[in-house]
Amino acid sequence: MLPIRRLSSVSRNVLRVGLIPADGIGREVIPAARLAIEAVGSSIPKPEFIDLDAGFEYFQKHGKALPDATLQKLKNECDCALFGAVSSPSTKVAGYSSPIVALRKAMDLYANIRPVVGVSSSNKPKVDLVVVRENTECLYVKQEKLETDQDGKQVAKATRVITEHASRRIGQMAFKIAEERPRKHLTIIHKSNVLSITDGLFRESVRAVAGQWPNVTVAEQLVDSAVYKLFREPQVFDVMVAPNLYGDIISDAAAALVGSLGVVPSVNAGDNFVIGEPVHGSAPDIAGQQKANPVAAIRSAAMMLRHLGYGEAAERIDRAVDAVLVEGNVLTPDLGGNATTNEVTEAILKLI
């Protein structure tokens, strides 16, 4: 994928990278991504790494999941960042809110871009798609409330926000990505047959910017049938653009087509900043056991560099990762191997 922004035109002697391992296996895979960045040498400005705090474990100790100091350093001292994983609880915890969701909003990282690519020769049909997920609204605005009805029963309500501004903006990002790919095809994911107002606005707003990219063909797919088609005919998709919740679900589903969440990267991108983030979660069941797959984090580092305009460095990392996966001798347990996190990292570093 070509860079979305070419910020390498900014003269830099140093590339300042914020590192936010956060929770669980984030503390194992982000160091691997750091080593990959260091391994590309003179292909990028000299990297300097700034260690930053965030996460549920930090919240448990300090009462805040995203400290102000982290946000200020990202804004004032960093050119880009890598985020590991967060152990957000599935039940309500007073005072807690996901730090990565807060980061996306605070830094206006409105696009979550997730390429899903199969590299194994045995992977059929061929999977090569990109999910472009709106990152700032939908149900993730976290406007929920619990009420009691006239019978004394609890009623939970959530507000879903879809705006023309955010939908047009993510549409423009998706069209730009599609324009840079060989197939030049974009599928709008929605459920406007049921949610005619919110999803209807998303669909119409994305279509409204289509005229700027006449070479891109546009299709639509209802979100439920899109998931079905992902598993039956993944090759029909090129670039998919979706509201926040749908994008989260379909990108995780697509990861199953290429073996594991452990190989799928992403970036959270805005107009002025980018954060690389592996798609997988914190995996507390394997944390600290050297079972975590570092590939998604290393690929996320490559995406971050490519987004900044350092395409050669990104290609070196991607080629090394692909070679290790295709060879298949050094794989973590999620891909059917028995190699450790460090062993996979070392195998990739040797090829960079």
Side-chain angles (χ1 to χ4, degrees):
M1 188 194 306
L2 298 174
I4 298 147
R5 295 182 296 134
R6 298 182 186 273
L7 294 189
S8 60
S9 59
V10 177
S11 178
R12 292 192 185 97
N13 294 320
V14 173
L15 182 66
R16 300 166 299 175
V17 184
L19 299 179
I20 315 171
D23 299 323
I25 63 171
R27 291 192 291 270
E28 298 169 65
V29 299
I30 292 302
R34 171 178 175 161
L35 290 172
I37 292 172
E38 291 175 327
V40 299
S42 61
S43 295
I44 61 172
K46 178 179 173 58
E48 288 186 359
F49 299 95
I50 301 171
D51 294 320
L52 300 171
D53 293 316
F56 184 63
E57 293 169 31
Y58 185 88
F59 167 81
Q60 290 176 307
K61 295 177 181 177
H62 303 282
K64 197 165 189 178
L66 180 62
D68 293 337
T70 292
L71 198 54
Q72 290 308 310
K73 286 183 179 180
L74 286 172
K75 290 181 176 180
N76 300 321
E77 300 179 25
C78 297
D79 299 307
C80 54
L82 290 170
F83 186 94
V86 62
S87 298
S88 292
S90 56
T91 56
K92 181 177 176 59
V93 175
Y96 176 78
S97 184
S98 169
I100 187 60
V101 172
L103 269 177
R104 291 165 181 164
K105 292 179 181 177
M107 303 294 290
D108 198 26
L109 305 175
Y110 59 87
N112 184 253
I113 303 160
R114 299 182 172 186
V116 182
V117 182
V119 296
S120 171
S121 58
S122 63
N123 184 64
K124 297 179 180 180
K126 175 66 174 175
V127 179
D128 183 2
L129 61 91
V130 181
V131 178
V132 182
R133 166 189 170 193
E134 203 291 317
N135 229 3
T136 65
E137 52 182 33
C138 191
L139 286 168
Y140 286 53
V141 297
K142 291 181 67 65
Q143 295 177 11
E144 297 181 285
K145 59 184 178 180
L146 196 61
E147 299 176 345
T148 303
D149 66 15
Q150 60 186 7
D151 298 320
K153 304 294 185 182
Q154 290 186 322
V155 179
K157 296 181 179 180
T159 298
R160 185 175 195 243
V161 176
I162 300 289
T163 65
E164 180 182 359
H165 167 71
S167 301
R168 288 176 70 99
R169 186 167 65 167
I170 199 65
Q172 289 170 334
M173 179 75 82
F175 272 108
K176 186 170 184 179
I177 292 170
E179 172 73 23
E180 293 171 341
R181 288 169 61 84
R183 289 178 58 193
K184 303 184 188 305
H185 183 77
L186 177 66
T187 304
I188 305 169
I189 306 300
H190 60 83
K191 189 67 177 174
S192 61
N193 60 327
V194 176
L195 301 170
S196 58
I197 296 177
T198 50
D199 273 14
L201 179 60
F202 179 83
R203 171 187 172 276
E204 292 160 10
S205 298
V206 173
R207 278 200 168 275
V209 302
Q212 300 173 43
W213 287 272
N215 295 325
V216 177
T217 58
V218 183
E220 298 181 21
Q221 194 80 50
L222 297 177
V223 62
D224 45 351
S225 60
V227 173
Y228 175 81
K229 188 167 282 190
L230 264 177
F231 287 101
R232 298 282 296 193
E233 302 174 272
Q235 70 276 12
V236 305
F237 293 110
D238 183 22
V239 178
M240 308 169 76
V241 62
N244 208 337
L245 178 61
Y246 303 159
D248 197 0
I249 293 169
I250 61 177
S251 55
D252 279 16
L257 300 171
V258 294
S260 168
L261 282 169
V263 301
V264 179
S266 80
V267 290
N268 299 286
D271 295 328
N272 300 299
F273 204 78
V274 59
I275 296 179
E277 179 195 5
V279 170
H280 61 68
S282 62
D285 55 321
I286 62 168
Q289 299 177 42
Q290 278 288 302
K291 294 181 179 179
N293 192 335
V295 165
I298 292 172
R299 279 179 162 172
S300 295
M303 282 191 73
M304 179 189 73
L305 293 176
R306 183 175 287 108
H307 188 77
L308 292 170
Y310 302 114
E312 184 207 351
E315 285 300 318
R316 287 173 60 187
I317 294 172
D318 282 339
R319 284 196 300 266
V321 170
D322 289 352
V324 169
L325 292 177
V326 170
E327 184 180 57
N329 294 330
V330 186
L331 301 175
T332 43
D334 59 313
L335 295 177
N338 56 16
T340 66
T341 305
N342 288 345
E343 287 170 342
V344 173
T345 303
E346 289 167 7
I348 293 169
L349 295 177
K350 287 177 182 177
L351 297 175
I352 293 176

